[in-house]
Amino acid sequence: MKFSRRYILAAAVGMLVCVGSITAKSDVTPLLKCGLPQCPAIENVAAKDTTSLAQGLLTDTASAPAAAKDEWIQVKSKNFLLIGNASEKDIRKVATRLEQFRETFRLLFAGINLTSPIETNVVVFKSDGAYKNFKPKRADGKIDTGIAGYFQTGEDVNYITLAVGGDEKETYNTIFHEYVHFIVNTNFGKSEVPTWFNEGLAEYYSTFEIKNDQEVHLGLPQQNHLDLLSMSQLIPLDTLFKISNYELHNQGGHGRSIFYAESWALVHYLIQTGKSAGLSKFLSLVIKRTPPEKAFQDAFQISYADMQKELAKYVGKRSFQYNIFTFNNKLTFDADMQATPLDEAGSNAFLGDLLYHTNRADDAEPFLVNALALQPNSSMANTTLGMVRIKQRKYAEASVVLEKALAGDQKNPHVFYEYAFLLSRQGQDEFGFVRGFDAGSLAKMRDALNKAIAIAPAYTESYELFAYINLVANDQLDESAAMLKTALKYQPGNQRYALRLAEILSRQKKYGDAVAIAQKIASTADDPETKHRADEVVNDLNRIKQFNDQQVAERKRYEAQIAEANHQGETLVIDDPDMNLRAINRALRKTGDGETHVIGSIQRIDCHTRPLVFTVKTPTETFTVTTSDFDSLSLRAYTPDANKIQIGCDQGLAAFNAVITYKKNAVPKGNARGDLISIEFVDKNFHFVDTHEPPSLTKRTAANTGTESGTLNDPPPLKSADAEAQRRAMMLRALGEGLKKPGNGQKREMGYLEKIECSNKGYSFIFRTASKTFRLRTSGPNSLAIGVYVPDLNGMEFGCAIKPIEFPAVFIYTDKPDGKTKTDGEIVSLEFVPKSFVLDQ
């Protein structure tokens, strides 16, 4: 059981122009028609009948130590760095296989960009036994011994791992599958490519074979997919095309398997039956936001239903064609490879770095410590150990290690980046907000990032971090926008970079450009976290733009009246303390027929019945209103404190003032007063004012010369300490109101998660509270709601081998002790909170 977050690389269209050139024909067809400069290098293309092939099972992730006396070697090929305790011959063989796969793509797809800023390291183990401790772990925390190899993407480095001596198809199929994803994501952006196409293409090329270093076989049929499709009903194409990457990986095992099989079959059918040109056109139209069904009709001149019939016939065949490409020249790379011995310090540094990048920071630590005991100035070991210390939240130790790495190596861009990252998080408060950086830290971060960019201009994380610290400092915004645009040239589909650019553009008051970027991401994001952040940015930008437009209009109106007064020989000043109130009042949603609005707060949201019930409290009364669902509500915020509010079941929002609009029931519906229409959060001192009342203008006299004509007096600011205390108190109060509430037969406690015990019978969570130790059972991770309100825990995995967590957690459980399992009940939810939080039962 793991709960983690991982970002995937993304980034130029051009690939599919040549996908059409690999269409199989019944006769020999030269590829010169594709118009690519590389085409003459290919002698012929032939179609061949074959029975199908079984696909090996692989995944990603790994862990643990290697043999102490193994001899390790490092081999540098043209595009990969390989290390291993296998023989030099075997490592060179692996390098050749990977280079051949990459070169085949380069020769066949002229528009594809295979030059990535992310390096790929390959670890080659001498045997499955040597590889065992580095294989991924299952949900119960045990090594998955069935794994033959994996491809792990990363923000700074990718890792491929495998062992020699096993079944090559089983070893390489998933590596090639994931490598295709890496190529597609780098060139198009993961969010831009339909999930079925990305997975279908990866499956199509995962069976890559090469004979005599010259004859390439592509598109070999996969028996496991065909068997599954023969026993299952095809997913309707309308449904298949709408499934996102997030939805795919949240489906059950069988549904996910059908998706992969049908996606493979559809891509195989389109390529092998001469419809690749339509496939290319379809993808191009979808990327341009053409509705999928129209894009399909325009590209293939066929309906979903008719294509479904064609696909059903295709998968029912007994034999399938695949492509054979014979290149004029052999794809050999051995002569360009350089091999050197790798000492124990170096091998331990690489293994520690591998484990860190597969989310095994604690397992990485002993390898890195051992590497530094042997070679104290190892740049890789010091840098990665610093990253481990950051993940372990040992920030003082991380600073020492990274400063040592800086002193020992001025050519490693990653150490400069990590040092700047460490400094950037030091300004966070307990809620993850950064209010600013001191001048010294700001200078150090900028200096480190400038050096990282000078050393490695293609390492794009440096640009994003630079933009972030400048956003916090509200400085160098033009430079930040330029940096993010540079990063997006390297990775066109990186949504984190694009969202950061939207935030920079917003700060520059370029609201139209910012909204366009954020809206696109909100509509294409394939994970809930990115979509939620994009939706928040869109909502914030719309509110800011609307509010600013109102203020500009208000100011112009006042200035026009001042100008008119001055024209008549009088000098006037604005004397209107309600100017901001007027702007907010104008921005509020206008009430419709039968609607009314009040100022109050939401005391509780009850989802146990339908419709949903909202309890509203005003200064004079308390009543309830209802709504069928959350999606039908209009939600806005006109106060910064409410921007991060979460609206959900069993949440109370009593700490926040709001304008609540509802429509009275013509016929009474139980105790509810009416249907809830909108909630608009406002400051505590908000009140309704007449937006049509003319501004108050006064003559300049000796008694009221405190402001220049046409400017506003700002209210006296709160002392910074008072403002911070108020903000913190409000955040804690809002957090308490936002936590899940126990239902019938449930209890809520706050304590510390000590460990998670896993077995084939289920999982047990052990909590330590002030009064007792709780052992709570759960059948699996999907039955447990987990919330994290502590920035230091973002990205952390909660798995079976978890160490005690030093931040408290509020947990809800059913009060049903079970003597057989020796548990106190079943855990329902788990929410990690700041150390200063106090639970109000």
Side-chain angles (χ1 to χ4, degrees), residues 639-660:
T639 174
D641 293 324
N643 280 341
K644 302 299 181 183
I645 286 178
Q646 301 293 317
I647 305 294
C649 298
D650 296 321
Q651 289 188 330
L653 304 169
F656 296 94
N657 203 35
V659 174
I660 299 157

Side-chain angles (χ1 to χ4, degrees), residues 593-605:
D593 292 341
E595 295 179 358
T596 187
H597 53 207
V598 296
I599 301 173
S601 59
I602 303 296
Q603 297 293 304
R604 189 167 188 268
I605 304 173

Side-chain angles (χ1 to χ4, degrees), residues 504-543:
I504 294 289
L505 293 173
S506 172
R507 190 68 61 85
Q508 294 176 309
K509 301 188 186 305
K510 299 176 181 179
Y511 300 117
D513 293 340
V515 168
I517 292 172
Q519 284 179 334
K520 180 179 178 182
I521 296 171
S523 65
T524 60
D526 57 15
D527 69 270
E529 183 177 340
T530 301
K531 176 170 174 45
H532 177 69
R533 182 183 166 199
D535 285 336
E536 280 190 329
V537 171
V538 170
N539 292 335
D540 289 346
L541 287 170
N542 285 333
R543 285 193 294 266

Side-chain angles (χ1 to χ4, degrees), residues 761-816:
K761 296 180 180 179
Y763 308 90
S764 293
F765 284 67
I766 290 83
F767 293 93
R768 171 178 51 84
T769 70
S771 59
K772 65 175 287 187
T773 296
F774 287 84
R775 178 181 292 270
L776 303 172
R777 63 188 179 274
T778 181
S779 57
N782 293 332
S783 63
L784 178 61
I786 297 180
V788 178
Y789 301 99
V790 182
D792 283 342
L793 295 183
N794 284 340
M796 182 179 179
E797 289 192 345
F798 303 102
C800 299
I802 195 171
K803 291 185 175 180
I805 297 178
E806 68 270 30
F807 290 94
V810 176
F811 57 94
I812 296 175
Y813 65 99
T814 58
D815 189 20
K816 293 182 179 179

Side-chain angles (χ1 to χ4, degrees), residues 91-207:
I91 296 175
R92 284 175 176 268
K93 182 180 177 182
V94 172
T96 297
R97 188 75 175 274
L98 294 172
E99 291 286 3
Q100 287 173 335
F101 183 76
R102 186 183 185 280
E103 184 68 2
T104 298
F105 260 86
R106 190 188 73 79
L107 292 174
L108 293 181
F109 305 122
I112 203 79
N113 172 30
L114 295 177
T115 304
S116 169
I118 309 299
E119 297 176 351
T120 299
N121 294 338
V122 185
V123 184
V124 184
F125 295 93
K126 65 181 181 181
S127 66
D128 189 68
Y131 183 26
K132 177 181 176 181
N133 288 329
F134 291 86
K135 292 185 178 184
K137 290 186 176 181
R138 303 194 305 256
D140 59 3
K142 295 180 180 179
I143 296 292
D144 191 340
T145 56
I147 299 302
Y150 67 88
F151 184 114
Q152 174 73 53
T153 57
E155 294 170 5
D156 55 346
V157 66
N158 302 324
Y159 270 100
I160 294 173
T161 66
L162 69 157
V164 300
D167 185 303
E168 289 199 357
K169 290 184 177 67
E170 187 178 353
T171 298
Y172 283 100
N173 275 14
T174 293
I175 290 174
F176 291 152
H177 176 107
E178 296 300 331
Y179 198 78
V180 171
H181 281 325
F182 178 63
I183 292 171
V184 171
N185 296 344
T186 299
N187 283 267
F188 295 93
K190 184 179 180 183
S191 62
E192 301 294 316
V193 180
T195 305
W196 70 266
F197 172 82
N198 206 340
E199 296 298 344
L201 196 71
E203 282 294 274
Y204 181 87
Y205 287 105
S206 68
T207 59

